[in-house]
Amino acid sequence: MQKVKIPRTVDPARAAQKRLDYDGIIQVSLFKRLFESVEGVKRDAHVSLSFELDEQRLVVISGKANIEVDLECQRCNENFAYECEVEFTYTPYLGEKSEENAPEEYDLVDLNEYGEIDLIQLVEDEFILNLPQIAKHDEADCSVQSDNLVFGEIPQEILEDKPNPFDVLKNLKN
């Protein structure tokens, strides 16, 4: 099956009634915020989305996406490739009532002023949230070994025996 471009916005209620499935790509150029968070984006995102109604008649948007990005290793400051894969399940936010009725496994997503969901933003948010907090190579691939992570030398004054500051409390006790 040929991969097509994922639409930018979609009406989730209408898509769920039709039980639409999208399997396609989102172009790299549409991920402006992701570009700011990483060193580079290597390829278009591969995305699969499904719209359906669950047993409670809630609109459910479930999907998977993956993209390959370059991150800067925080140990050696060299770039490395990182495969970012995400899975998500959303339901549209329709006020406090939907927040109470939605199962815990569903995240809530806001609709725009036309009652549609911005799919590009939704997938981009998932990628950004799934990036590692501290990006680093596997230790075997990193040019800096964990043994070499101490910087500088310990001053001699610290190494010498100093009086215990709590010795003063012993005098007060007597």
Side-chain angles (χ1 to χ4, degrees):
M1 181 157 79
Q2 181 181 358
K3 297 257 183 189
V4 296
K5 290 182 186 175
I6 300 291
R8 182 165 202 98
T9 61
V10 67
D11 180 346
R14 191 173 300 148
Q17 288 173 348
K18 294 180 181 180
R19 299 181 61 85
L20 291 180
D21 292 326
Y22 291 105
D23 189 22
I25 60 168
I26 297 176
Q27 294 176 320
V28 172
S29 60
L30 298 175
F31 293 132
K32 307 250 185 284
R33 292 178 298 132
L34 183 63
F35 264 111
E36 295 171 4
S37 303
V38 298
E39 297 300 309
V41 181
K42 292 190 169 203
R43 62 171 169 79
D44 294 337
H46 298 273
V47 181
S48 297
L49 295 167
S50 297
F51 295 84
E52 59 190 13
L53 296 172
D54 69 357
E55 297 83 25
Q56 297 178 12
R57 305 294 295 161
L58 291 173
V59 174
V60 178
I61 305 138
S62 57
K64 295 179 183 180
N66 66 56
I67 195 166
E68 192 171 344
V69 296
D70 283 329
L71 298 176
E72 183 179 2
C73 177
Q74 298 300 302
R75 282 190 290 233
C76 67
N77 294 329
E78 294 177 11
N79 288 347
F80 68 98
Y82 178 75
E83 181 82 22
C84 188
E85 294 188 22
V86 295
E87 287 188 37
F88 49 87
T89 306
Y90 285 98
T91 189
Y93 178 75
L94 303 172
E96 285 188 31
K97 189 175 182 182
S98 66
E99 196 170 330
E100 294 170 5
N101 294 338
E104 279 187 30
E105 55 268 8
Y106 297 170
D107 290 324
L108 298 174
V109 63
D110 288 326
L111 302 174
N112 65 13
E113 60 271 10
Y114 305 111
E116 296 179 334
I117 294 175
D118 186 342
L119 296 177
I120 309 298
Q121 181 180 348
L122 182 97
V123 173
E124 184 177 30
D125 288 345
E126 286 293 325
F127 284 143
I128 292 171
L129 288 172
N130 203 10
L131 290 175
Q133 284 186 332
I134 301 172
K136 51 189 173 180
H137 291 102
D138 290 332
E139 279 199 50
D141 298 335
C142 195
S143 61
V144 176
Q145 300 301 316
S146 61
D147 300 343
N148 301 333
L149 292 180
V150 177
F151 297 99
E153 294 182 17
I154 299 175
Q156 192 63 28
E157 305 90 57
I158 295 175
L159 296 175
E160 295 174 2
D161 287 340
K162 289 189 171 184
N164 187 346
F166 295 104
D167 286 340
V168 175
L169 296 175
K170 287 181 184 176
N171 294 337
L172 291 174
K173 187 176 179 183
N174 295 333

